[in-house]
Amino acid sequence: MHRITTPVGANLAALRDHNTALVLGLLREAGERGASRAELAGRTGLTPQAVSKITARLRDGGLAAEAGRRASTGGKPATAIRLVPGAAHAVGLHLDRDEMHVTLADLTGTPVAVRTAPLAFGAGAEAVLATVQGEVAALLAETAPATLLGVGVAAPGPLDHPGGILHRVTGHPQWDGFPLRDALAERLGLGVPVVLDKDTNAAALGLARTRAADSFAYLHLGTGLGAGLVLGRGVHRGARTGAGEFGHQVLQLDGPPCPCGSRGCIEALCLAAVAAGDTTRAARLLGVGAANLVRLLDIDLVLLGGRTVLADPEAYTAGVRDALAGAAGGAVPVAVAPGGGRTVVDGAAELALAPLFRTTGGV
C-alpha cells in the first residue's frame, strides 16, 4: 500500500479549527485570483491580526501562496493569498451495485486521477473490500499524493451516516448492519479519516458548492432510485440519517412488490419501466415523485443524474418538467446535474474535503 507522508511544516490537525477553516473556505471560493487579508477579515469578521496569523500558518504548511498584488487605492498595494490546490488531496469512492468509481481530488475538488472497475456488491463484504483495496492502491501508486486528507465513500442507502453502518440496501439485505466505514478504514490502512454517506447525499454535497439554489433535490436514477436533499444550503440527512429514500414512496397501493418489502414503490415502478424500454413512462413516474417532493418541501430546483437519466437526458428532463408544471406556486427549474457520470464520485471526495473548509452560510 502506498504510504502517505505529511510535508514539513504542515500540521493538518491544527488547520481544522473553525477560524482557519473559514479562511480556507474563502480562499477556495476565490480561486486563482485569491483574496487579500483585508478581504478575508471583512468576510469572516476576524481581526486583521488573526487573519495574518492564519494565512502565515497556511503558507508555512504549503496550503496557501501569494497570488500577486491588488491595485493600490492610495496606500500600499495589498498582497492576495490563494489556495494551493495540489497541497493535499482526498480519495472519493462511489460503490454502486455493479461497478465502482474511484477518484483522487485536489483541494478544489478537481479530479487528478480516476479509475473504474466492476463491482459485485451482492458478492459480500470480503469481495467488495478486496476490490476497493486493490483499486485505491492502484490509484495511489499512479499519483503518489504527498498529503491525503481522507477517503469519502458513497454507497447505496439506507445507512447510518454517523456510525458508518449500512442498513438494508435494496436488493442486498445481507449488508444490513455491516460497519462498512470502519471495515474500509482498517482494510485500506492509510491512517486517515474515512467518511461514509449515501450516494445521493454525497452528490448533493458536491453540487451544493455551486450554490445554484439554496434548496434543491438531486434525483439519481441508475441501478436504484434515490434523492439527495439540500435545504437552506445544507445537506438534509434527517435525525436518523434516513432522509432521501425517495425511491420508496408508494405510488400504487396494489402495485408490484419492491425488494424493500412494500408494494408499488416508485423505484420498483420506474425500474420496471426502464427494463421494458418505456422511457416515457419512467420519466413520467420520476416526474410524479419529483412533483410530490416539490409540493412537500417547496424546493427551488430539481437536478437529475444517474446512468439511466444520462442515457437519455432530454427525455427525462422533459418528463420531469411536464410533471412539475403547476406542482408549486411557480415553475421549478429542472436540469441534468453538472458533472454527468462523475457527480457521485466527485461528491464522495467532497465528503473527505469538506471538514477542512467552512464558508459563511456554506454547507
Side-chain angles (χ1 to χ4, degrees):
M1 177 60 68
H2 177 77
R3 295 292 180 185
I4 304 299
T5 59
T6 302
V8 176
N11 184 344
L12 293 179
L15 295 175
R16 294 182 187 273
D17 70 86
H18 179 74
N19 290 342
T20 302
L22 275 176
V23 172
L24 278 168
L26 291 174
L27 291 179
R28 193 187 198 197
E29 289 182 1
E32 285 294 318
R33 181 177 184 272
S36 70
R37 293 173 182 82
E39 290 167 340
L40 293 170
R43 292 194 61 186
T44 61
L46 299 172
T47 65
Q49 294 81 3
V51 169
S52 292
K53 289 180 180 178
I54 291 170
T55 54
R57 289 205 309 271
L58 295 177
R59 290 177 63 187
D60 289 344
L63 294 178
E66 289 191 3
R69 294 185 179 274
R70 295 282 191 260
S72 174
T73 56
K76 181 180 178 180
T79 299
I81 306 296
R82 64 173 178 85
L83 188 69
V84 177
H89 296 82
V91 170
L93 294 170
H94 176 200
L95 308 183
D96 209 340
R97 292 168 175 83
D98 59 357
E99 66 181 13
M100 67 168 287
H101 303 270
V102 56
T103 187
L104 186 74
D106 68 19
L107 289 176
T108 68
T110 302
V112 173
V114 296
R115 291 179 67 88
T116 301
L119 184 71
F121 201 74
E126 179 56 33
V128 168
L129 291 173
T131 300
V132 172
Q133 180 184 24
E135 290 301 315
V136 171
L139 181 83
L140 296 179
E142 292 172 2
T143 55
T147 301
L148 191 65
L149 297 175
V151 179
V153 184
L159 54 77
D160 173 358
H161 171 61
I165 299 169
L166 292 180
H167 290 323
R168 292 180 61 87
V169 176
T170 305
H172 301 286
Q174 70 270 30
W175 283 95
D176 189 20
F178 185 79
L180 181 60
R181 180 194 64 199
D182 292 348
L184 278 174
E186 180 178 358
R187 190 65 172 256
L188 295 175
L190 296 171
V192 296
V194 175
V195 184
L196 173 69
D197 208 343
K198 288 197 296 190
D199 45 14
T200 50
N201 285 345
L205 177 64
L207 292 167
R209 284 196 58 216
T210 66
R211 305 270 177 90
D214 287 350
S215 300
F216 66 86
Y218 168 72
L219 306 183
H220 185 94
L221 178 59
T223 58
L225 174 59
L229 305 174
V230 169
L231 304 178
R233 294 188 177 180
V235 176
H236 178 70
R237 297 181 175 90
R240 289 161 296 280
T241 66
E245 288 301 307
F246 173 85
H248 299 294
Q249 56 177 301
V250 175
L251 294 189
Q252 185 179 341
L253 291 176
D254 58 349
C258 179
C260 76
S262 296
R263 301 184 69 91
C265 290
I266 185 173
E267 178 176 289
L269 295 170
C270 205
L271 292 181
V274 171
D278 192 345
T279 301
T280 300
R281 175 172 169 78
R284 182 171 179 272
L285 287 163
L286 185 61
V288 169
N292 289 342
L293 201 58
V294 169
R295 292 188 182 98
L296 183 66
L297 298 177
D298 195 22
I299 52 179
D300 303 318
L301 173 68
V302 173
L303 296 173
L304 307 179
R307 71 177 75 167
T308 302
V309 167
L310 296 176
D312 197 348
E314 293 82 7
Y316 282 97
T317 302
V320 173
R321 187 179 291 119
D322 288 346
L324 284 179
V332 176
V334 180
V336 173
R342 302 197 44 77
T343 301
V344 175
V345 73
D346 288 347
E350 188 64 22
L351 289 171
L353 291 170
L356 193 66
F357 301 97
R358 292 290 183 275
T359 56
T360 51
V363 176

